[in-house]
């Protein structure tokens, strides 16, 4: 059936200008297969054009994370409207050859899934094109098992484990 990857990016939590990112790969049962993570630091925000900094950080993270994973996932999920989704938008930012689903936006197929606490919620998933045969079965299995939002939470927790809690979570 294959594996699915979830790309999550966290903006800087302090003055170091360090973005953190994770590529979390799971199987159709939700079992973790790989977890790649990295951090990139960019020059001061004063040197960047407005709107260029977040996508640049996410693009650099995506490039480094895809180099690290050994499995080739059948699809990639990003949260709609996130820097991660903008980095792999198919418009020259970071080109990948697998379908990219944007989860939680205003458009797309409406599906039931689980939120970060495990409660049922309805969300949407938008694909740029119809899924290839086989990938559609993986997507349906993930949706049935509530694995469209929850893996982002695990990726976020993994980043917290590696890099420490966000400043507002310490105390």
């Amino acid at each position: 059936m294959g594996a699915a990857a979830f790309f999550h990016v966290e903006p800087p939590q302090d003055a170091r200008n360090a973005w953190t990112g994770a590529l979390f790969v799971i199987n159709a049962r939700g079992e973790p297969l790989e977890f790649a993570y990295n951090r990139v630091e960019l020059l001061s925000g004063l040197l960047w054009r407005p709107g260029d900094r977040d996508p640049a950080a996410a693009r650099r993270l995506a490039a480094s994370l895809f180099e690290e994973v050994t499995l080739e996932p059948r699809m990639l999920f990003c949260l709609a409207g996130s820097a991660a989704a903008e980095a792999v938008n198919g418009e020259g930012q970071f080109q990948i050859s697998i379908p990219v689903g944007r989860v939680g936006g205003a458009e797309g197929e409406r599906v039931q899934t689980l939120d970060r606490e495990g409660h049922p919620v309805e969300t949407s998933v938008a694909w740029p094109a119809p899924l290839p045969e086989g990938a559609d079965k993986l997507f349906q299995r993930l949706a049935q098992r509530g694995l469209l939002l929850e893996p982002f939470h695990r990726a976020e927790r993994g980043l917290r484990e590696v890099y420490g809690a966000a400043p507002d979570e310490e105390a």
Side-chain angles (χ1 to χ4, degrees), residues 103-119:
V103 181
E107 298 178 9
E109 177 183 350
R110 302 300 294 175
V111 292
Q112 288 288 116
T113 191
L114 300 176
D115 66 10
R116 63 186 331 151
E117 286 84 32
H119 300 110

Side-chain angles (χ1 to χ4, degrees), residues 75-77 99-102 108-109 125-131 139:
M75 60 187 55
L76 174 70
F77 292 97
V100 177
R102 283 161 188 73
E109 177 183 350
V125 179
W127 300 98
L131 288 173
F139 171 67

Side-chain angles (χ1 to χ4, degrees), residues 59-123:
R59 188 175 57 249
R60 291 176 190 184
L61 282 166
S64 70
L65 295 172
F66 273 96
E67 286 179 10
E68 290 301 315
V69 294
T70 59
L71 297 172
E72 188 173 324
R74 298 201 62 171
M75 60 187 55
L76 174 70
F77 292 97
C78 302
L79 291 173
S82 69
E86 292 301 315
V88 292
N89 67 7
E91 297 173 4
Q93 292 286 331
F94 180 78
Q95 298 293 322
I96 58 175
S97 60
I98 59 175
V100 177
R102 283 161 188 73
V103 181
E107 298 178 9
E109 177 183 350
R110 302 300 294 175
V111 292
Q112 288 288 116
T113 191
L114 300 176
D115 66 10
R116 63 186 331 151
E117 286 84 32
H119 300 110
V121 296
E122 185 177 90
T123 191

